[in-house]
Amino acid sequence: REEDCTLADVTMPQLGETVTEGTITRWLKQVGDPIGQDEVLFEVSTDKVDSEVPSPSAGYLAEILVPEGDTVDVGARLAVITPEPPGGTASGDGAGTATAQPTPTAQPTPTAQSEPAPAPQPAPAPEPAPAPEPKPAPEPEPAMAAPATEPTAPSRAPTDGQGGGQVLSPVVRRLLAEHDLDPSQIRGTGAGDRITRADVLAVIDARSGAGGAPARPAPAAPTTTTPPAAPAAPTPPQTPPPSRPPVVTAPTGGRDEVIPFSNIRRRTAEHMVRSKATSAHTLVAVEVDFEAVDRVRRAERERFRAQEGISLTYLPFVARATIEALRAHPHLNASVGDDALVVHRDVHLGIAVDLDSEGLIVPVIHDADGKRLPALAREAADLASRARERKLGADDIAGGTFTITNPGPFGTMITVPIINQPQVGILSTDGVKRKPVVVTLADGSEGIAIHSVGVLALSFDHRAVDGAYASRFLAKLREVLETRDWAQEL
Protein backbone atom coordinates (compact mmCIF):
# COMPACT_ATOMS: atom_id res chain seq x y z
CA ARG A 1 0.00 0.00 0.00
CA GLU A 2 2.59 2.51 1.15
CA GLU A 3 4.85 1.54 -1.76
CA ASP A 4 2.19 2.63 -4.21
CA CYS A 5 2.14 6.05 -2.52
CA THR A 6 5.88 6.57 -2.60
CA LEU A 7 6.87 5.23 -6.01
CA ALA A 8 6.32 6.71 -9.44
CA ASP A 9 6.97 4.58 -12.51
CA VAL A 10 8.33 6.13 -15.69
CA THR A 11 7.03 4.25 -18.74
CA MET A 12 7.60 4.41 -22.48
CA PRO A 13 4.99 6.87 -23.83
CA GLN A 14 2.72 6.31 -26.83
CA LEU A 15 4.28 8.48 -29.55
CA GLY A 16 1.64 8.10 -32.27
CA GLU A 17 -1.04 5.53 -33.04
CA THR A 18 1.14 3.21 -35.09
CA VAL A 19 4.24 3.49 -32.91
CA THR A 20 4.72 0.33 -30.85
CA GLU A 21 8.21 0.81 -29.44
CA GLY A 22 10.93 3.37 -28.83
CA THR A 23 14.67 3.50 -28.30
CA ILE A 24 16.18 5.33 -25.32
CA THR A 25 18.82 7.57 -26.87
CA ARG A 26 19.89 9.54 -23.79
CA TRP A 27 19.14 9.81 -20.08
CA LEU A 28 19.42 13.42 -18.95
CA LYS A 29 19.43 12.41 -15.27
CA GLN A 30 21.39 9.77 -13.39
CA VAL A 31 20.39 7.62 -10.43
CA GLY A 32 20.23 9.78 -7.32
CA ASP A 33 19.64 13.05 -9.20
CA PRO A 34 16.72 15.23 -8.13
CA ILE A 35 14.14 15.98 -10.79
CA GLY A 36 11.14 18.29 -11.02
CA GLN A 37 7.77 17.39 -12.45
CA ASP A 38 7.70 17.98 -16.22
CA GLU A 39 11.50 18.43 -16.29
CA VAL A 40 12.98 16.56 -19.27
CA LEU A 41 14.11 13.13 -18.08
CA PHE A 42 15.21 11.27 -21.22
CA GLU A 43 15.21 11.36 -25.01
CA VAL A 44 13.50 8.67 -27.08
CA SER A 45 13.68 7.86 -30.78
CA THR A 46 11.03 6.02 -32.80
CA ASP A 47 10.64 5.33 -36.49
CA LYS A 48 8.51 8.50 -36.63
CA VAL A 49 9.97 11.14 -34.30
CA ASP A 50 12.69 11.94 -31.78
CA SER A 51 11.25 13.39 -28.58
CA GLU A 52 12.20 14.66 -25.16
CA VAL A 53 10.07 13.04 -22.46
CA PRO A 54 9.32 14.90 -19.21
CA SER A 55 9.20 13.37 -15.76
CA PRO A 56 5.68 12.41 -14.60
CA SER A 57 6.43 13.56 -11.04
CA ALA A 58 8.95 15.35 -8.86
CA GLY A 59 11.43 13.52 -6.65
CA TYR A 60 14.65 11.58 -7.12
CA LEU A 61 15.60 9.15 -9.87
CA ALA A 62 15.93 5.95 -7.86
CA GLU A 63 16.52 3.43 -10.62
CA ILE A 64 17.02 3.25 -14.39
CA LEU A 65 15.64 -0.01 -15.77
CA VAL A 66 16.38 0.47 -19.48
CA PRO A 67 19.85 1.74 -20.50
CA GLU A 68 20.62 4.02 -23.41
CA GLY A 69 20.45 2.25 -26.76
CA ASP A 70 17.78 -0.28 -25.77
CA THR A 71 14.48 -0.49 -27.64
CA VAL A 72 11.37 -1.39 -25.66
CA ASP A 73 7.61 -1.56 -26.17
CA VAL A 74 5.22 1.28 -25.47
CA GLY A 75 4.14 1.07 -21.82
CA ALA A 76 7.33 -0.67 -20.68
CA ARG A 77 8.76 0.48 -17.33
CA LEU A 78 11.86 2.59 -17.82
CA ALA A 79 12.70 4.05 -14.42
CA VAL A 80 11.50 4.59 -10.87
CA ILE A 81 11.14 7.94 -9.10
CA THR A 82 10.91 8.25 -5.31
CA PRO A 83 10.21 11.25 -3.07
CA GLU A 84 13.50 10.78 -1.19
CA PRO A 85 17.05 10.09 -2.38
CA PRO A 86 17.67 6.39 -3.09
CA GLY A 87 19.36 4.58 -0.24
CA GLY A 88 18.34 7.27 2.23
CA THR A 89 14.92 5.84 2.97
CA ALA A 90 15.76 3.44 5.73
CA SER A 91 12.60 4.42 7.55
CA GLY A 92 11.28 0.99 7.12
CA ASP A 93 8.86 1.15 4.30
CA GLY A 94 8.40 1.96 0.78
CA ALA A 95 10.88 3.37 -1.58
CA GLY A 96 14.01 1.32 -1.05
CA THR A 97 12.20 -1.99 -1.15
CA ALA A 98 10.17 -1.21 -4.22
CA THR A 99 12.85 0.35 -6.37
CA ALA A 100 14.80 -2.86 -6.50
CA GLN A 101 11.65 -4.72 -7.37
CA PRO A 102 11.71 -4.70 -11.16
CA THR A 103 13.80 -7.30 -12.83
CA PRO A 104 14.64 -5.12 -15.81
CA THR A 105 12.26 -6.81 -18.20
CA ALA A 106 10.76 -3.38 -18.81
CA GLN A 107 7.31 -4.98 -18.56
CA PRO A 108 4.52 -3.16 -16.76
CA THR A 109 4.04 -5.84 -14.11
CA PRO A 110 1.73 -4.37 -11.52
CA THR A 111 3.01 -5.42 -8.11
CA ALA A 112 6.02 -4.17 -6.22
CA GLN A 113 5.92 -6.70 -3.44
CA SER A 114 6.95 -9.88 -5.19
CA GLU A 115 10.68 -9.05 -5.18
CA PRO A 116 12.20 -7.51 -2.04
CA ALA A 117 15.50 -6.03 -3.19
CA PRO A 118 17.62 -4.56 -0.44
CA ALA A 119 16.97 -7.89 1.30
CA PRO A 120 15.99 -6.99 4.85
CA GLN A 121 16.66 -10.70 5.42
CA PRO A 122 18.28 -12.98 2.91
CA ALA A 123 15.63 -15.51 3.83
CA PRO A 124 13.23 -15.24 0.89
CA ALA A 125 15.20 -17.81 -1.12
CA PRO A 126 12.33 -18.93 -3.35
CA GLU A 127 12.37 -15.42 -4.84
CA PRO A 128 15.00 -15.88 -7.61
CA ALA A 129 12.82 -18.36 -9.48
CA PRO A 130 9.35 -16.84 -9.72
CA ALA A 131 7.90 -19.89 -11.37
CA PRO A 132 4.68 -18.72 -13.03
CA GLU A 133 5.47 -15.26 -14.32
CA PRO A 134 2.42 -12.97 -14.33
CA LYS A 135 1.99 -13.20 -18.08
CA PRO A 136 1.77 -16.83 -19.13
CA ALA A 137 -1.41 -16.46 -21.16
CA PRO A 138 -0.91 -14.90 -24.55
CA GLU A 139 -1.46 -18.47 -25.91
CA PRO A 140 -5.30 -18.29 -26.15
CA GLU A 141 -5.25 -15.10 -28.23
CA PRO A 142 -3.68 -15.86 -31.60
CA ALA A 143 -5.81 -13.10 -33.05
CA MET A 144 -3.71 -10.17 -34.16
CA ALA A 145 -0.21 -10.77 -35.40
CA ALA A 146 3.31 -11.28 -34.30
CA PRO A 147 3.43 -10.45 -30.57
CA ALA A 148 0.85 -13.04 -29.50
CA THR A 149 2.25 -16.10 -31.23
CA GLU A 150 5.07 -17.17 -28.92
CA PRO A 151 3.72 -17.49 -25.39
CA THR A 152 6.88 -18.72 -23.75
CA ALA A 153 9.21 -15.82 -24.55
CA PRO A 154 7.57 -12.97 -22.65
CA SER A 155 6.90 -15.14 -19.63
CA ARG A 156 10.53 -16.17 -19.15
CA ALA A 157 12.64 -14.31 -16.69
CA PRO A 158 15.46 -12.44 -18.40
CA THR A 159 18.08 -14.72 -16.92
CA ASP A 160 16.69 -17.87 -18.47
CA GLY A 161 20.07 -19.49 -19.02
CA GLN A 162 20.04 -18.88 -22.75
CA GLY A 163 21.29 -15.31 -22.80
CA GLY A 164 24.26 -15.82 -20.55
CA GLY A 165 22.32 -14.27 -17.65
CA GLN A 166 22.03 -10.92 -19.40
CA VAL A 167 18.91 -8.79 -19.50
CA LEU A 168 16.87 -8.91 -22.71
CA SER A 169 14.31 -6.25 -23.57
CA PRO A 170 10.75 -7.34 -24.49
CA VAL A 171 11.30 -6.43 -28.13
CA VAL A 172 14.52 -8.46 -28.30
CA ARG A 173 12.92 -11.46 -26.60
CA ARG A 174 9.95 -11.29 -28.96
CA LEU A 175 12.22 -11.23 -32.03
CA LEU A 176 14.28 -14.12 -30.66
CA ALA A 177 11.13 -16.16 -30.09
CA GLU A 178 9.57 -15.31 -33.46
CA HIS A 179 12.70 -16.31 -35.38
CA ASP A 180 13.71 -19.16 -33.06
CA LEU A 181 17.14 -17.70 -32.31
CA ASP A 182 19.50 -18.59 -29.48
CA PRO A 183 20.64 -15.40 -27.68
CA SER A 184 23.82 -17.08 -26.51
CA GLN A 185 24.91 -17.20 -30.16
CA ILE A 186 24.43 -13.45 -30.76
CA ARG A 187 27.11 -10.89 -29.96
CA GLY A 188 25.60 -7.87 -28.25
CA THR A 189 26.70 -4.35 -29.17
CA GLY A 190 24.72 -2.48 -26.52
CA ALA A 191 25.96 -1.15 -23.21
CA GLY A 192 27.59 -3.95 -21.22
CA ASP A 193 27.47 -6.21 -24.32
CA ARG A 194 23.68 -6.33 -24.14
CA ILE A 195 21.85 -7.70 -27.17
CA THR A 196 19.94 -4.91 -28.88
CA ARG A 197 17.12 -5.05 -31.42
CA ALA A 198 19.58 -4.10 -34.16
CA ASP A 199 21.81 -7.07 -33.24
CA VAL A 200 18.92 -9.50 -33.63
CA LEU A 201 17.73 -7.93 -36.89
CA ALA A 202 21.26 -8.20 -38.30
CA VAL A 203 21.29 -11.94 -37.53
CA ILE A 204 17.83 -12.36 -39.07
CA ASP A 205 18.93 -10.55 -42.22
CA ALA A 206 22.13 -12.58 -42.45
CA ARG A 207 20.26 -15.85 -41.96
CA SER A 208 17.65 -15.10 -44.61
CA GLY A 209 20.39 -13.91 -46.98
CA ALA A 210 22.11 -17.27 -46.55
CA GLY A 211 18.95 -19.13 -47.44
CA GLY A 212 17.94 -19.66 -43.83
CA ALA A 213 20.31 -21.23 -41.36
CA PRO A 214 18.96 -24.18 -39.42
CA ALA A 215 17.00 -22.99 -36.42
CA ARG A 216 17.80 -24.13 -32.94
CA PRO A 217 15.40 -26.62 -31.37
CA ALA A 218 12.41 -25.09 -29.65
CA PRO A 219 13.04 -24.59 -25.94
CA ALA A 220 11.42 -27.03 -23.57
CA ALA A 221 8.31 -25.79 -21.83
CA PRO A 222 8.49 -24.17 -18.37
CA THR A 223 11.63 -26.02 -17.19
CA THR A 224 13.80 -23.73 -15.07
CA THR A 225 16.48 -26.24 -14.09
CA THR A 226 19.27 -27.14 -16.48
CA PRO A 227 17.47 -28.01 -19.69
CA PRO A 228 17.79 -31.65 -20.76
CA ALA A 229 19.98 -32.09 -23.80
CA ALA A 230 17.35 -34.01 -25.77
CA PRO A 231 13.76 -33.15 -24.94
CA ALA A 232 12.27 -36.12 -26.70
CA ALA A 233 9.41 -34.14 -28.20
CA PRO A 234 10.97 -31.77 -30.73
CA THR A 235 7.63 -30.19 -31.53
CA PRO A 236 8.23 -27.77 -34.35
CA PRO A 237 7.99 -24.08 -33.49
CA GLN A 238 4.55 -22.58 -33.90
CA THR A 239 3.68 -21.53 -37.42
CA PRO A 240 4.55 -17.92 -38.18
CA PRO A 241 1.88 -15.28 -37.68
CA PRO A 242 -0.58 -15.03 -40.57
CA SER A 243 0.57 -11.50 -41.37
CA ARG A 244 4.22 -12.55 -41.79
CA PRO A 245 4.66 -14.32 -45.14
CA PRO A 246 7.45 -16.86 -45.51
CA VAL A 247 10.78 -15.31 -46.42
CA VAL A 248 11.68 -15.83 -50.05
CA THR A 249 15.37 -15.28 -50.67
CA ALA A 250 16.13 -13.66 -53.99
CA PRO A 251 19.10 -14.92 -55.97
CA THR A 252 21.97 -12.44 -56.01
CA GLY A 253 24.64 -12.00 -58.63
CA GLY A 254 28.04 -10.40 -58.67
CA ARG A 255 26.72 -6.99 -59.71
CA ASP A 256 23.80 -6.92 -57.26
CA GLU A 257 23.78 -4.55 -54.31
CA VAL A 258 22.12 -5.64 -51.07
CA ILE A 259 20.75 -2.62 -49.17
CA PRO A 260 19.51 -3.47 -45.66
CA PHE A 261 16.20 -1.88 -44.71
CA SER A 262 16.54 1.20 -42.52
CA ASN A 263 14.48 1.36 -39.34
CA ILE A 264 11.84 3.63 -40.88
CA ARG A 265 11.71 1.51 -44.06
CA ARG A 266 11.27 -1.65 -42.00
CA ARG A 267 8.58 -0.08 -39.79
CA THR A 268 6.74 1.34 -42.79
CA ALA A 269 6.70 -2.12 -44.33
CA GLU A 270 5.35 -3.63 -41.13
CA HIS A 271 2.59 -1.01 -40.88
CA MET A 272 1.57 -1.50 -44.51
CA VAL A 273 1.40 -5.28 -44.23
CA ARG A 274 -0.54 -4.99 -40.97
CA SER A 275 -3.00 -2.58 -42.57
CA LYS A 276 -3.63 -4.89 -45.52
CA ALA A 277 -4.19 -7.77 -43.11
CA THR A 278 -6.56 -5.67 -40.97
CA SER A 279 -8.78 -3.71 -43.36
CA ALA A 280 -10.89 -4.88 -46.29
CA HIS A 281 -9.30 -2.47 -48.79
CA THR A 282 -11.52 -1.24 -51.61
CA LEU A 283 -10.90 1.50 -54.18
CA VAL A 284 -13.24 4.02 -55.75
CA ALA A 285 -12.09 6.97 -57.91
CA VAL A 286 -13.52 9.98 -59.75
CA GLU A 287 -12.25 12.39 -62.36
CA VAL A 288 -12.46 16.03 -61.22
CA ASP A 289 -12.50 19.21 -63.28
CA PHE A 290 -10.09 21.53 -61.42
CA GLU A 291 -10.71 24.50 -63.72
CA ALA A 292 -12.48 26.57 -61.01
CA VAL A 293 -9.56 25.89 -58.66
CA ASP A 294 -6.93 26.59 -61.31
CA ARG A 295 -8.52 29.87 -62.30
CA VAL A 296 -8.16 31.16 -58.74
CA ARG A 297 -4.67 29.69 -58.34
CA ARG A 298 -3.41 31.51 -61.40
CA ALA A 299 -4.96 34.80 -60.29
CA GLU A 300 -3.81 34.59 -56.65
CA ARG A 301 -0.49 32.76 -56.96
CA GLU A 302 1.89 35.70 -56.67
CA ARG A 303 -0.08 37.56 -54.00
CA PHE A 304 -0.37 34.38 -51.91
CA ARG A 305 3.36 33.63 -52.14
CA ALA A 306 4.23 37.21 -51.15
CA GLN A 307 1.80 37.16 -48.23
CA GLU A 308 2.26 33.60 -46.93
CA GLY A 309 5.75 32.72 -48.16
CA ILE A 310 4.58 29.43 -49.71
CA SER A 311 3.22 28.22 -53.05
CA LEU A 312 -0.52 27.89 -53.55
CA THR A 313 -0.79 24.24 -54.64
CA TYR A 314 -3.84 22.06 -55.28
CA LEU A 315 -3.41 20.32 -51.90
CA PRO A 316 -5.08 22.91 -49.60
CA PHE A 317 -8.06 23.11 -51.99
CA VAL A 318 -8.44 19.33 -51.85
CA ALA A 319 -8.02 19.39 -48.06
CA ARG A 320 -10.72 22.05 -47.67
CA ALA A 321 -13.12 20.13 -49.93
CA THR A 322 -12.33 16.87 -48.10
CA ILE A 323 -13.37 18.43 -44.80
CA GLU A 324 -16.70 19.48 -46.33
CA ALA A 325 -17.25 15.98 -47.74
CA LEU A 326 -16.41 14.37 -44.36
CA ARG A 327 -18.98 16.60 -42.65
CA ALA A 328 -21.60 15.21 -45.02
CA HIS A 329 -20.26 11.62 -44.75
CA PRO A 330 -18.86 11.26 -41.21
CA HIS A 331 -18.59 7.45 -41.30
CA LEU A 332 -15.36 7.89 -43.26
CA ASN A 333 -13.94 10.04 -40.45
CA ALA A 334 -13.93 7.01 -38.18
CA SER A 335 -12.18 3.91 -36.84
CA VAL A 336 -13.34 0.30 -36.54
CA GLY A 337 -13.63 -0.65 -32.88
CA ASP A 338 -14.78 -3.82 -31.13
CA ASP A 339 -17.69 -4.84 -33.37
CA ALA A 340 -18.58 -1.17 -33.81
CA LEU A 341 -17.74 1.92 -35.85
CA VAL A 342 -16.24 4.76 -33.81
CA VAL A 343 -17.19 8.01 -35.57
CA HIS A 344 -14.93 10.98 -34.78
CA ARG A 345 -16.78 14.29 -34.63
CA ASP A 346 -13.58 16.35 -35.03
CA VAL A 347 -11.57 16.13 -38.24
CA HIS A 348 -7.84 15.71 -37.63
CA LEU A 349 -6.42 15.56 -41.13
CA GLY A 350 -3.21 13.60 -41.79
CA ILE A 351 -1.03 14.64 -44.74
CA ALA A 352 1.46 11.97 -45.88
CA VAL A 353 5.00 13.33 -46.37
CA ASP A 354 7.83 11.65 -48.26
CA LEU A 355 11.15 11.74 -46.38
CA ASP A 356 13.52 11.95 -49.33
CA SER A 357 12.49 8.45 -50.51
CA GLU A 358 13.59 6.95 -47.17
CA GLY A 359 10.05 6.42 -45.89
CA LEU A 360 6.77 8.13 -45.14
CA ILE A 361 5.41 9.99 -42.15
CA VAL A 362 1.91 11.39 -41.61
CA PRO A 363 1.84 14.62 -39.59
CA VAL A 364 -1.63 15.79 -38.58
CA ILE A 365 -3.49 19.09 -38.98
CA HIS A 366 -5.51 18.99 -35.78
CA ASP A 367 -9.05 20.44 -35.76
CA ALA A 368 -8.82 20.91 -39.51
CA ASP A 369 -12.60 21.32 -39.74
CA GLY A 370 -12.27 24.72 -38.02
CA LYS A 371 -9.68 26.12 -40.47
CA ARG A 372 -10.09 27.91 -43.77
CA LEU A 373 -7.98 27.38 -46.88
CA PRO A 374 -5.06 29.77 -46.10
CA ALA A 375 -4.62 28.25 -42.62
CA LEU A 376 -4.70 24.72 -44.05
CA ALA A 377 -2.07 25.69 -46.64
CA ARG A 378 0.21 27.23 -44.01
CA GLU A 379 -0.06 24.32 -41.60
CA ALA A 380 0.41 21.64 -44.28
CA ALA A 381 3.56 23.39 -45.55
CA ASP A 382 4.93 23.83 -42.02
CA LEU A 383 4.34 20.18 -41.07
CA ALA A 384 5.93 18.93 -44.30
CA SER A 385 8.98 21.15 -43.78
CA ARG A 386 9.47 20.06 -40.17
CA ALA A 387 8.94 16.41 -41.13
CA ARG A 388 11.79 16.54 -43.65
CA GLU A 389 14.01 18.29 -41.12
CA ARG A 390 13.16 15.61 -38.49
CA LYS A 391 11.74 18.30 -36.19
CA LEU A 392 8.26 16.90 -35.58
CA GLY A 393 7.12 16.21 -32.05
CA ALA A 394 4.97 13.32 -30.82
CA ASP A 395 1.81 15.46 -30.83
CA ASP A 396 2.37 16.36 -34.49
CA ILE A 397 1.77 12.78 -35.65
CA ALA A 398 -0.90 11.71 -33.15
CA GLY A 399 -4.67 11.63 -33.38
CA GLY A 400 -5.28 11.58 -37.15
CA THR A 401 -8.79 10.59 -38.25
CA PHE A 402 -8.45 10.72 -42.07
CA THR A 403 -5.41 10.92 -44.36
CA ILE A 404 -4.55 12.52 -47.70
CA THR A 405 -1.56 11.33 -49.72
CA ASN A 406 -0.39 13.56 -52.56
CA PRO A 407 1.61 11.90 -55.37
CA GLY A 408 0.09 14.32 -57.88
CA PRO A 409 3.20 16.51 -58.28
CA PHE A 410 4.87 13.48 -59.94
CA GLY A 411 2.15 13.30 -62.59
CA THR A 412 0.55 10.04 -61.44
CA MET A 413 -2.70 8.97 -63.08
CA ILE A 414 -4.33 6.91 -60.30
CA THR A 415 -2.92 5.66 -57.00
CA VAL A 416 -4.24 2.92 -54.69
CA PRO A 417 -3.07 4.05 -51.22
CA ILE A 418 -2.96 1.77 -48.17
CA ILE A 419 -5.14 2.84 -45.23
CA ASN A 420 -3.36 4.50 -42.32
CA GLN A 421 -4.51 2.42 -39.36
CA PRO A 422 -6.74 2.72 -37.37
CA GLN A 423 -8.51 5.02 -39.86
CA VAL A 424 -10.99 3.73 -42.44
CA GLY A 425 -10.19 5.95 -45.43
CA ILE A 426 -7.27 7.55 -47.27
CA LEU A 427 -7.54 9.87 -50.28
CA SER A 428 -4.96 10.08 -53.07
CA THR A 429 -4.66 13.29 -55.11
CA ASP A 430 -3.15 12.37 -58.46
CA GLY A 431 -1.71 14.48 -61.25
CA VAL A 432 -3.71 17.39 -62.73
CA LYS A 433 -3.28 17.87 -66.49
CA ARG A 434 -4.73 20.09 -69.19
CA LYS A 435 -7.20 18.03 -71.21
CA PRO A 436 -10.07 18.56 -73.62
CA VAL A 437 -13.42 18.24 -71.86
CA VAL A 438 -17.06 18.58 -72.86
CA VAL A 439 -18.62 21.73 -71.37
CA THR A 440 -22.10 23.24 -71.44
CA LEU A 441 -22.18 26.56 -73.24
CA ALA A 442 -24.28 29.61 -72.29
CA ASP A 443 -27.04 28.69 -74.77
CA GLY A 444 -27.32 25.17 -73.37
CA SER A 445 -25.41 23.46 -76.14
CA GLU A 446 -22.21 21.51 -75.66
CA GLY A 447 -18.69 22.36 -76.70
CA ILE A 448 -15.07 21.35 -76.21
CA ALA A 449 -12.79 23.29 -73.86
CA ILE A 450 -9.32 22.80 -72.39
CA HIS A 451 -9.51 22.39 -68.59
CA SER A 452 -7.28 21.19 -65.74
CA VAL A 453 -8.44 17.65 -64.91
CA GLY A 454 -7.23 15.15 -62.30
CA VAL A 455 -8.25 11.97 -60.51
CA LEU A 456 -9.08 11.56 -56.81
CA ALA A 457 -8.88 7.96 -55.55
CA LEU A 458 -10.25 6.77 -52.20
CA SER A 459 -9.13 3.56 -50.50
CA PHE A 460 -11.74 2.71 -47.86
CA ASP A 461 -12.29 -0.07 -45.35
CA HIS A 462 -15.25 -2.12 -46.57
CA ARG A 463 -15.90 -3.20 -42.98
CA ALA A 464 -16.85 0.39 -42.16
CA VAL A 465 -18.85 1.52 -45.21
CA ASP A 466 -20.03 0.21 -48.54
CA GLY A 467 -19.13 1.36 -52.03
CA ALA A 468 -22.26 3.51 -52.41
CA TYR A 469 -21.38 5.54 -49.30
CA ALA A 470 -17.76 5.97 -50.43
CA SER A 471 -18.92 7.00 -53.91
CA ARG A 472 -21.29 9.61 -52.48
CA PHE A 473 -18.38 10.99 -50.46
CA LEU A 474 -16.29 11.39 -53.63
CA ALA A 475 -19.23 12.91 -55.49
CA LYS A 476 -19.58 15.54 -52.75
CA LEU A 477 -15.83 16.16 -52.81
CA ARG A 478 -15.91 16.68 -56.59
CA GLU A 479 -18.91 18.99 -56.33
CA VAL A 480 -17.17 21.23 -53.80
CA LEU A 481 -13.99 21.45 -55.90
CA GLU A 482 -15.85 22.22 -59.10
CA THR A 483 -18.47 24.69 -57.80
CA ARG A 484 -17.08 26.47 -54.70
CA ASP A 485 -16.31 30.20 -54.95
CA TRP A 486 -12.62 29.75 -54.18
CA ALA A 487 -11.78 33.43 -54.63
CA GLN A 488 -14.10 34.23 -51.72
CA GLU A 489 -12.47 31.42 -49.70
CA LEU A 490 -9.04 33.02 -50.14
Side-chain angles (χ1 to χ4, degrees):
R1 311 179 273 107
E2 295 100 332
E3 290 169 0
D4 292 341
C5 299
T6 56
L7 290 175
D9 282 343
V10 179
T11 60
M12 178 64 73
Q14 178 77 54
L15 300 170
E17 296 102 326
T18 59
V19 175
T20 59
E21 62 189 20
T23 300
I24 304 295
T25 54
R26 186 160 69 108
W27 285 99
L28 278 75
K29 297 286 183 178
Q30 300 303 317
V31 171
D33 288 353
I35 186 165
Q37 185 168 4
D38 295 330
E39 185 179 356
V40 176
L41 179 57
F42 64 93
E43 294 175 352
V44 61
S45 176
T46 72
D47 58 309
K48 301 294 187 186
V49 292
D50 295 336
S51 297
E52 294 180 336
V53 179
S55 173
S57 60
Y60 292 85
L61 184 57
E63 191 168 6
I64 292 176
L65 307 178
V66 178
E68 293 177 358
D70 269 20
T71 302
V72 294
D73 289 338
V74 166
R77 298 182 69 214
L78 306 177
V80 178
I81 294 174
T82 54
E84 299 180 24
T89 43
S91 54
D93 88 301
T97 304
T99 48
Q101 165 258 334
T103 51
T105 56
Q107 299 207 28
T109 14
T111 65
Q113 51 136 301
S114 57
E115 299 176 78
Q121 276 180 309
E127 177 59 12
E133 192 93 5
K135 237 174 113 182
E139 174 95 65
E141 60 166 92
M144 282 302 276
T149 55
E150 184 68 59
T152 55
S155 53
R156 276 191 188 272
T159 54
D160 63 351
Q162 301 192 51
Q166 63 176 296
V167 177
L168 303 176
S169 72
V171 174
V172 167
R173 286 187 287 114
R174 188 181 70 212
L175 285 170
L176 292 171
E178 286 176 2
H179 295 273
D180 201 25
L181 295 172
D182 184 352
S184 66
Q185 303 301 311
I186 299 176
R187 185 176 66 85
T189 60
D193 295 330
R194 289 169 61 113
I195 298 174
T196 66
R197 178 175 178 271
D199 297 331
V200 182
L201 292 174
V203 172
I204 294 169
D205 290 343
R207 187 171 73 166
S208 45
R216 65 181 175 89
T223 308
T224 52
T225 56
T226 48
T235 44
Q238 284 196 319
T239 54
S243 61
R244 187 185 292 272
V247 175
V248 179
T249 56
T252 57
R255 292 178 55 79
D256 295 336
E257 180 184 6
V258 178
I259 303 174
F261 277 172
S262 64
N263 184 44
I264 191 169
R265 180 77 269 146
R266 191 189 304 275
R267 301 303 292 167
T268 300
E270 290 172 0
H271 297 332
M272 297 301 96
V273 171
R274 186 181 305 121
S275 180
K276 293 289 283 187
T278 300
S279 295
H281 279 66
T282 314
L283 180 76
V284 61
V286 293
E287 194 173 60
V288 177
D289 189 336
F290 280 91
E291 190 63 18
V293 171
D294 228 12
R295 198 176 299 124
V296 173
R297 284 182 66 244
R298 288 193 296 266
E300 297 287 339
R301 182 181 299 156
E302 297 307 319
R303 181 196 64 79
F304 191 85
R305 181 187 293 277
Q307 181 175 312
E308 303 291 345
I310 55 176
S311 298
L312 185 58
T313 67
Y314 291 105
L315 180 60
F317 293 89
V318 174
R320 186 75 177 89
T322 297
I323 292 164
E324 292 297 317
L326 287 174
R327 282 176 177 159
H329 301 86
H331 288 192
L332 282 167
N333 190 54
S335 305
V336 173
D338 186 10
D339 198 29
L341 187 68
V342 180
V343 178
H344 308 298
R345 294 305 179 190
D346 298 317
V347 178
H348 304 308
L349 195 61
I351 307 291
V353 176
D354 169 58
L355 301 177
D356 300 323
S357 300
E358 293 179 5
L360 292 173
I361 192 168
V362 185
V364 177
I365 302 175
H366 292 93
D367 300 310
D369 45 335
K371 296 172 181 175
R372 295 178 69 83
L373 192 148
L376 292 172
R378 283 193 301 270
E379 195 157 344
D382 172 65
L383 288 170
S385 174
R386 289 195 288 125
R388 295 185 180 105
E389 294 171 0
R390 308 298 200 271
K391 292 182 179 178
L392 290 176
D395 292 342
D396 293 323
I397 62 170
T401 59
F402 188 87
T403 295
I404 296 175
T405 182
N406 182 35
F410 303 103
T412 55
M413 183 181 74
I414 186 168
T415 302
V416 186
I418 296 177
I419 295 169
N420 184 22
Q421 296 297 323
Q423 300 164 23
V424 299
I426 179 170
L427 181 75
S428 172
T429 63
D430 286 286
V432 177
K433 297 180 180 178
R434 301 292 286 174
K435 294 173 61 175
V437 297
V438 177
V439 296
T440 302
L441 303 177
D443 61 359
S445 61
E446 292 182 337
I448 302 293
I450 305 298
H451 282 188
S452 296
V453 178
V455 172
L456 297 179
L458 173 74
S459 286
F460 67 94
D461 189 339
H462 216 317
R463 300 176 303 165
V465 299
D466 294 325
Y469 191 92
S471 298
R472 283 194 288 270
F473 164 82
L474 278 185
K476 177 65 175 179
L477 178 56
R478 176 175 57 192
E479 175 195 332
V480 174
L481 284 168
E482 292 181 349
T483 64
R484 172 68 59 88
D485 182 356
W486 292 110
Q488 183 271 339
E489 178 84 18
L490 281 170

